[in-house]
Amino acid sequence: MSVFTRRDRAVEGSQGGGDRGRNARLVRPFAALGLTAALVLSTVPMAAQAADGELTPGPTVYADPESPTGYTGRFVYYDPDATSVRFVADILLRNWADRTDITVYQPHQYEPGLMRGGGGYDVEMTDAGDGYWVTEVPLAAGANQYWFYVDGNTSAWLADPANSPIFAPDGISFPQRRAFNKVFVPYDEAKQDFAPLAARQIELPREDSAKGTWSYVPIDIPNQTGRTLGVYLPPDYDPNRAEPYKTIYMQHGGGQDQSDWMNMGDVPVIMDNLIQDGTTEPAVVITTNTNYLGPVGNQAVPGDAYPNLRNVVIPFVEANYNVSTEPIDRAFAGLSAGSFVTQNLIRDDADQFGYYGPWSGGVSVPASTPNLAAPYIHYGGGAWDFGLPNANTVAALDDVGFIENTVVAGAHDFNAWNQLFTIFARDYVWHPEAFLQDEVDTLKADVADAGLNKGNTNALTVKLDQALKLVTAGDSVGALEVLNGFLAQVAEFQTAGKLTAEQASALTTLAEKVTFNLGYWVQ
């Protein structure tokens, strides 16, 4: 029989369960071990209440006034042959409000300012009899990932049979695949009370949002059989729309496959919500499997990396879906091992995609990469992520290209990667102005420091502001005209002795970097 007491009525939206954090122990802070991660995409209904004796397999999340987050998750695992079951989840906490604090906090220690990213919470589940195993744990907002170990076998990260991810038919098999299940947890304004955590509500399914669709679509790959792509189509996808959709390609990490971004990565839910909010364009999202993309290629031979991506996958997508064939309308991002794929694509052929997102895989793109100033590159990682790109290395690369870097609360896990996908899809893809802003700000600061009179300073500054506004409005041609006017005026000021050769050179070099970028895509 159940050992749990009756709690308050459950709230909208999710799964959950588990022993209180006092029974937990800290395991090595792998938080998805750098390559793993996959949770579910399914939404488990909220129970009306978490009552004594309730042993429904799967997770249930319910409002709990005794929980420090306002919510408790109850997890029930059924296996009549098991002698022990451990519940594991990437839900240990770190102090995002004060990153000098190196403490790893247990879930029951939650207080505002803490975020997931401390690694794996690992607890023995309670044997409730008749093959049922139960645990409860406080949970905070967003998509939370968990899995099980049965009979002490930590090599097999088991899916929740009652809440399993929807795996690709040609994906990695167990035990090589590390299964992550996903449970959605609401945000309690009073108890959780932390803006970065409130932002993770974007990961929660909304009853009132239009829903896109996703599935695994067969694709013929040379010398391989039974291969599939993950394909997300936005709400009301129109195969005959006059303006083709843009495309985002998402690459998994090691120990994962094309399932992970669609499941624990929460791409369909996040896209549905961003589209409803009007903060991203409806786009087609493709997930691929590294095992069929082909060899990484020879760094000395441009254009030969991942030939099946170039010659099979992209042509297949562009032939079968109403998507743009222009590289500037394609984005490619990947986590961990997928970051290496992303960076290999950049060094191999930087303009194959207009936007890139290498996350949690360090920095491996050489500054000497041809046409590095053409694409827009968004590096990122979790604050407690062993694959976090080095900020100084990214900054040095930004001297050559158009690079942004985002650090979020999280480790080498989907706590970081879900946030990075949200930020990428909302703030960076199809937004060249987000990448050009730093260069424009630097130009304006250099103009302000040049010792020009107010009128001449304003004449140059106004042009820079106008150019950025035109880029934001999608008028790169107009922005180029304005910037060419800026360059001509800088030359005039140098000739007139109003700017030194050194000042004019600095302004010209940076402005020409911007004009190269804009001009590259309007040729």
Side-chain angles (χ1 to χ4, degrees):
M1 80 183 164
S2 171
V3 297
F4 298 102
T5 58
R6 183 179 298 272
R7 302 281 187 182
D8 279 359
R9 162 174 87 77
V11 230
E12 163 194 23
S14 210
Q15 317 95 270
D19 264 343
R20 283 300 197 180
R22 61 177 175 268
N23 295 322
R25 69 178 183 277
L26 174 63
V27 296
R28 66 194 187 285
F30 47 75
L33 272 187
L35 314 155
T36 77
L39 264 271
V40 273
L41 189 151
S42 58
T43 303
V44 174
M46 287 289 236
Q49 54 189 4
D52 232 4
E54 188 175 306
L55 291 174
T56 303
T60 304
V61 169
Y62 60 92
D64 179 2
E66 297 180 31
S67 168
T69 66
Y71 292 96
T72 289
R74 167 179 287 200
F75 296 83
V76 178
Y77 188 86
Y78 178 73
D79 184 344
D81 299 320
T83 59
S84 69
V85 180
R86 281 156 60 187
F87 170 82
V88 192
D90 278 334
I91 57 174
L92 292 179
L93 305 166
R94 297 291 295 265
N95 193 340
W96 182 242
D98 178 9
R99 280 183 268 173
T100 65
D101 180 2
I102 62 172
T103 308
V104 174
Y105 294 88
Q106 297 293 320
H108 72 276
Q109 295 176 296
Y110 176 81
E111 60 183 37
L114 301 182
M115 295 281 281
R116 293 187 293 278
Y121 168 90
D122 184 336
V123 65
E124 293 285 348
M125 299 183 78
T126 299
D127 184 353
D130 298 324
Y132 291 94
W133 302 83
V134 186
T135 193
E136 290 195 345
V137 64
L139 297 173
N144 289 243
Q145 60 186 28
Y146 69 97
W147 63 98
F148 301 97
Y149 296 142
V150 172
D151 295 339
N153 183 2
T154 58
S155 297
W157 302 28
L158 298 181
D160 186 341
N163 182 35
S164 177
I166 303 170
F167 294 120
D170 59 317
I172 298 174
S173 59
F174 292 101
Q176 289 76 22
R177 159 168 282 290
R178 289 170 173 155
F180 291 92
N181 312 274
K182 176 175 61 178
V183 56
F184 295 114
V185 180
Y187 177 71
D188 185 308
E189 290 186 7
K191 288 199 165 188
Q192 297 180 31
D193 189 27
F194 191 49
L197 195 53
R200 297 202 64 176
Q201 294 178 94
I202 197 71
E203 301 166 17
L204 306 178
R206 299 174 183 171
E207 289 185 0
D208 64 343
S209 69
K211 302 296 188 290
T213 61
W214 73 273
S215 61
Y216 300 114
V217 176
I219 182 172
D220 291 329
I221 301 292
N223 303 314
Q224 301 192 43
T225 59
R227 289 305 198 175
T228 67
L229 297 169
V231 180
Y232 165 85
L233 300 178
D236 302 317
Y237 167 77
D238 181 358
N240 300 309
R241 195 176 81 162
E243 180 185 357
Y245 294 87
K246 296 179 173 66
T247 315
I248 304 173
Y249 292 77
M250 298 302 301
Q251 197 65 29
H252 60 82
Q256 303 174 11
D257 56 38
Q258 64 269 42
S259 307
D260 292 75
W261 276 113
M262 293 297 187
N263 287 276
M264 184 56 220
D266 214 33
V267 160
V269 174
I270 293 169
M271 285 296 294
D272 287 348
N273 292 342
L274 293 176
I275 291 168
Q276 183 186 43
D277 292 344
T279 53
T280 196
E281 286 190 37
V284 173
V285 182
I286 305 294
T287 61
T288 57
N289 191 315
T290 304
N291 290 335
Y292 60 58
L293 296 185
V296 67
N298 184 340
Q299 292 194 22
V301 182
D304 70 342
Y306 310 111
N308 289 338
L309 175 66
R310 176 191 299 274
N311 300 324
V312 181
V313 173
I314 294 174
F316 173 87
V317 170
E318 293 179 355
N320 287 277
Y321 298 96
N322 181 17
V323 298
S324 172
T325 60
E326 297 296 326
I328 191 60
D329 294 332
R330 300 187 201 122
F332 193 102
L335 65 91
S336 193
S339 174
F340 296 122
V341 174
T342 306
Q343 295 185 82
N344 286 336
L345 288 171
I346 296 169
R347 64 91 185 150
D348 180 72
D349 189 2
D351 63 359
Q352 188 174 3
F353 295 84
Y355 296 82
Y356 292 97
W359 306 327
S360 299
V363 182
S364 60
V365 174
S368 59
T369 298
N371 295 323
L372 186 58
Y376 306 104
I377 303 172
H378 174 231
Y379 277 94
W384 307 289
D385 180 350
F386 60 77
L388 179 66
N390 181 278
N392 292 330
T393 308
V394 175
L397 205 60
D398 187 43
D399 290 339
V400 181
F402 291 88
I403 320 291
E404 294 297 318
N405 191 28
T406 300
V407 179
V408 297
H412 204 79
D413 57 28
F414 277 104
N415 289 311
W417 300 325
N418 288 14
Q419 293 179 82
L420 288 169
F421 175 77
T422 298
I423 292 165
F424 188 59
R426 182 190 63 208
D427 300 334
Y428 287 109
V429 293
W430 334 132
H431 289 291
E433 70 278 4
F435 296 87
L436 302 179
Q437 181 73 61
D438 289 346
E439 281 70 20
V440 171
D441 287 346
T442 298
L443 284 166
K444 289 170 64 176
D446 288 348
V447 167
D449 291 340
L452 296 166
N453 64 36
K454 184 176 180 179
N456 290 335
T457 298
N458 287 342
L460 293 176
T461 302
V462 165
K463 288 181 175 65
L464 294 171
D465 288 336
Q466 179 65 12
L468 194 62
K469 287 179 182 178
L470 289 167
V471 171
T472 304
D475 186 1
S476 293
V477 172
L480 279 168
E481 291 178 359
V482 173
L483 286 171
N484 285 329
F486 172 89
L487 287 166
Q489 196 159 34
V490 167
E492 291 172 6
F493 288 167
Q494 181 186 358
T495 301
K498 297 176 181 178
L499 290 172
T500 67
E502 183 180 4
Q503 290 171 328
S505 177
L507 292 169
T508 299
T509 298
L510 191 52
E512 286 179 343
K513 177 187 172 187
V514 177
T515 58
F516 169 84
N517 172 270
L518 295 176
Y520 198 90
W521 300 110
V522 299
Q523 293 174 2

